[in-house]
Amino acid sequence: MTLRENHRERTKRQILDVALALFQEKGFRPTTMRDIADRAGIALGTTYNYFPTKEHLALYFFEAALERVLARHRREAPAEASLEEKVFLLIALELEEVEPYREFLNVIVTQAMVPTSPLHPYSLENQRLKNRHLEYVAELVREAIDRGELPALGYESMMLSAFWVFHLGMVMFWLNDESPHKEDTWVLLDKSLRFILGALRQESGAERNDAREADAV
C-alpha cells in the first residue's frame, strides 16, 4: 500500500470512528454528514469524497468489521474442527463484533430494506461485502470436501447463495432475540447447521446408493 493509500485509509477510519460515536450519541438518522465532518475536523466536501452518504459509511463499517472477523476466524478456528463448527464460529464472531452497535444496526436494517439504498443486500455497492464473505465460506466448503467431510455435490455456487440468505436470516433473528444471553440464537444456529449439512451428506449417500443399484441392474 502506497503512502497515499495509507493516508486515505487512515482518513476513512477516522471518519468512521467519529461517525460511530455520533450514531451512538445522537442516533443514525439525526446525525448529519456535517456533524461528522465537524467532529472529525475534516472539510465537509472531503468527507463527501470519501463517503457520499451515511449509508456508504455504514457499508464501510461492515466491510472493516468483516475483515477483523475473518482474521480472528483464521486464528481461532481449529484445523480439525468440522464444517458445522467452523461456520458456527464464523457467525458467532460476526455477531460478537457488531454487538456494541446493536441499536445502530436496528436502524441500518430498516434502511437496508429500501431498494435504492447502498445497504440493500442485493445492491451493487453491497456486492463487494457479500462476495468477500462468500469467498471465505467457499474456502471452508472446499476444505471440507478435500477432507472427505462433505461430498462434492456439483452445485456449491447455489449452496453459497442459499447460505447468504441463511446468514442474513440469522442476523435478523439475533437482532430480535430477547432470550437470556441470546440463547435462542445459538440453539437455532447450531440445529440449523447440523440439519442442513446433515441433509446434504444424506442426499449424497442416497445418490451413491442409487448409482450402485443402477449399476447392479
Side-chain angles (χ1 to χ4, degrees):
M1 189 177 289
T2 65
L3 288 174
R4 183 177 180 181
E5 289 170 337
N6 274 326
H7 174 72
R8 179 177 176 82
E9 191 62 26
R10 283 197 304 271
T11 303
K12 288 176 70 174
R13 290 185 180 277
Q14 178 188 355
I15 295 171
L16 175 62
D17 290 343
V18 167
L20 290 174
L22 283 169
F23 294 158
Q24 296 286 75
E25 293 172 19
K26 302 176 62 174
F28 181 77
R29 289 194 180 93
T31 299
T32 66
M33 292 297 285
R34 182 172 293 280
D35 292 334
I36 295 168
D38 289 346
R39 177 76 67 89
I42 297 173
L44 181 59
T46 301
T47 304
Y48 275 121
N49 285 338
Y50 286 106
F51 301 105
T53 67
K54 288 185 292 183
E55 285 83 358
H56 287 88
L57 255 168
L59 193 57
Y60 180 68
F61 162 76
F62 289 122
E63 290 173 350
L66 178 60
E67 290 306 318
R68 291 192 295 271
V69 166
L70 298 186
R72 280 191 63 189
H73 192 271
R74 289 190 180 94
R75 293 194 306 269
E76 298 178 19
E80 69 279 5
S82 67
L83 181 58
E84 288 94 331
E85 292 169 323
K86 288 183 177 180
V87 174
F88 185 99
L89 177 61
L90 177 63
I91 295 178
L93 290 175
E94 286 184 76
L95 298 180
E96 179 183 324
E97 180 71 30
V98 299
E99 168 65 32
Y101 307 99
R102 279 192 65 217
E103 295 304 317
F104 161 61
L105 290 176
N106 280 319
V107 178
I108 290 303
V109 166
T110 303
Q111 193 68 27
M113 295 302 102
V114 178
T116 56
S117 170
L119 294 169
H120 191 277
Y122 296 102
S123 71
L124 289 176
E125 292 91 343
N126 208 351
Q127 290 309 298
R128 182 172 57 186
L129 176 67
K130 174 185 175 182
N131 291 341
R132 183 75 181 96
H133 192 284
L134 292 184
E135 284 169 5
Y136 189 79
V137 175
E139 289 179 24
L140 301 181
V141 171
R142 283 194 296 270
E143 290 172 1
I145 292 173
D146 291 343
R147 291 196 305 268
E149 179 192 345
L150 188 72
L153 297 171
Y155 48 80
E156 284 75 15
S157 61
M158 292 177 60
M159 286 172 53
L160 292 173
S161 296
F163 174 80
W164 182 246
V165 177
F166 168 74
H167 165 263
L168 294 176
M170 286 305 312
V171 173
M172 291 293 293
F173 186 90
W174 172 79
L175 281 171
N176 293 280
D177 185 2
E178 297 181 356
S179 64
H181 309 296
K182 303 290 187 183
E183 291 171 1
D184 288 350
T185 296
W186 309 125
V187 170
L188 177 62
L189 179 58
D190 179 60
K191 289 186 175 181
S192 297
L193 290 173
R194 292 180 185 279
F195 174 79
I196 294 167
L197 293 174
L200 289 174
R201 294 184 182 106
Q202 288 179 0
E203 178 182 341
S204 176
E207 289 177 352
R208 285 196 297 270
N209 289 336
D210 290 344
R212 283 197 293 268
E213 291 174 2
D215 290 341
V217 173

